[in-house]
Amino acid sequence: GGEIYSPEGAGSDDYLAVVHANIAGGKTDALIDESVSLESSIDARGKISNKLILGRKHTGTGQKEWWYSTPNKDYFQILVPAGARLLHISGHDKKSPPPPAKKSAGYIADPDVEAIERSLEWLPEFKVSRLAQFGKTAFANYLTTAAGEKSRLVLEYENNSPAEIVDGANYKFVYERQSGVKPNLKYEILAPSGYIWRESGKNSFIYESNDPDGRIILDLTLEKLK
């Protein structure tokens, strides 16, 4: 139904959604190939560290219509667990956010949109916006990809809540795909030292798909090495 996933019950949860909005980029979304790669690791204290690599390729060269060959101007929002701390970001356009839109007479402001707008915070050290929405933290700015070119966004962050590190602990990762976008998805997570994932029998667990479902939920279990 389009609702954002909210965790229920016990267990450590991680979350990722990559959301795009084409702003004055013609109809170039139809010619963008995208890859999403998330590398995660859990240390002995349960700290969850993540590195997201978003790759985009504009295949719109040689098109008859200009709206297919113009640069793709993507306003991205990366939704991650609430309170996640940004450590590094590169590859984006570093545009400052525009001033809030003026309210026109006779129009009623949507309270949910107003709450999201009020949460917007500009992070000058990273040249990116941070917002709170749907119980998640979002990092946002622009990523421009010219026709025939590639762009690469790299985002590193730490989750606010630690994972439980005991034998048999449950760990859940949720990925939500924006409707109409079909990226190549790769997710890899490393267990803390001395543990493996029951589902893979190894220290690492890898999930890959070139046509991911709208919502992917991976339930994993830590096993302590004997």
Side-chain angles (χ1 to χ4, degrees), residues 7-21:
E8 297 180 1
S12 299
D13 291 279
D14 204 354
Y15 177 89
L16 174 67
V18 180
V19 181
H20 305 286

Side-chain angles (χ1 to χ4, degrees), residues 12-213:
S12 299
D13 291 279
D14 204 354
Y15 177 89
L16 174 67
V18 180
V19 181
H20 305 286
N22 185 331
I23 309 295
K27 297 184 181 297
T28 54
D29 282 355
L31 298 168
I32 295 293
D33 294 335
E34 180 172 285
S35 62
V36 176
S37 174
L38 181 64
E39 303 169 1
S40 300
S41 63
I42 307 175
D43 69 12
R45 298 172 295 170
K47 183 178 70 175
I48 304 167
S49 300
N50 301 282
K51 181 178 181 179
L52 172 68
I53 302 175
L54 175 65
R56 289 169 69 82
K57 180 181 179 182
H58 190 332
T59 64
T61 54
Q63 300 293 322
K64 180 180 178 181
E65 296 83 0
W66 67 267
W67 50 80
Y68 288 128
S69 59
T70 192
N72 179 263
K73 299 177 182 179
D74 174 46
Y75 182 74
F76 66 84
Q77 294 189 71
I78 310 298
L79 275 67
V80 295
R85 184 168 70 95
L86 185 61
L87 304 175
H88 167 83
I89 184 170
S90 61
H92 59 304
D93 292 357
K94 302 180 177 63
K95 291 184 179 181
S96 300
K102 295 182 179 179
K103 297 178 182 178
S104 300
Y107 286 88
I108 299 174
D110 183 280
D112 294 325
V113 174
E114 276 197 320
I116 293 172
E117 290 178 339
R118 284 196 302 269
S119 76
L120 189 147
E121 179 185 3
W122 177 247
L123 305 181
E125 67 272 37
F126 299 114
K127 302 295 190 296
V128 71
S129 297
R130 179 172 59 196
L131 306 97
Q133 51 185 313
F134 310 111
K136 308 290 187 291
T137 288
F139 300 109
N141 209 320
Y142 282 86
L143 180 64
T144 300
T145 311
E149 301 293 330
K150 297 178 181 179
S151 57
R152 185 174 186 263
L153 178 74
V154 179
L155 192 94
E156 296 180 29
Y157 57 97
E158 292 178 351
N159 290 7
N160 183 48
S161 300
E164 183 183 14
I165 308 300
V166 295
D167 190 32
N170 296 320
Y171 185 84
K172 181 179 291 183
F173 170 73
V174 178
Y175 169 80
E176 289 190 303
R177 174 181 58 81
Q178 183 178 8
S179 179
V181 179
K182 293 186 178 181
N184 290 312
L185 173 67
K186 181 178 180 180
Y187 170 67
E188 180 176 8
I189 183 164
L190 300 179
S193 178
Y195 288 84
I196 61 172
W197 297 109
R198 178 183 298 169
E199 290 71 19
S200 65
K202 301 177 182 178
N203 177 255
S204 67
F205 176 88
I206 299 175
Y207 174 90
E208 294 185 86
S209 175
N210 59 10
D211 188 12
D213 292 338

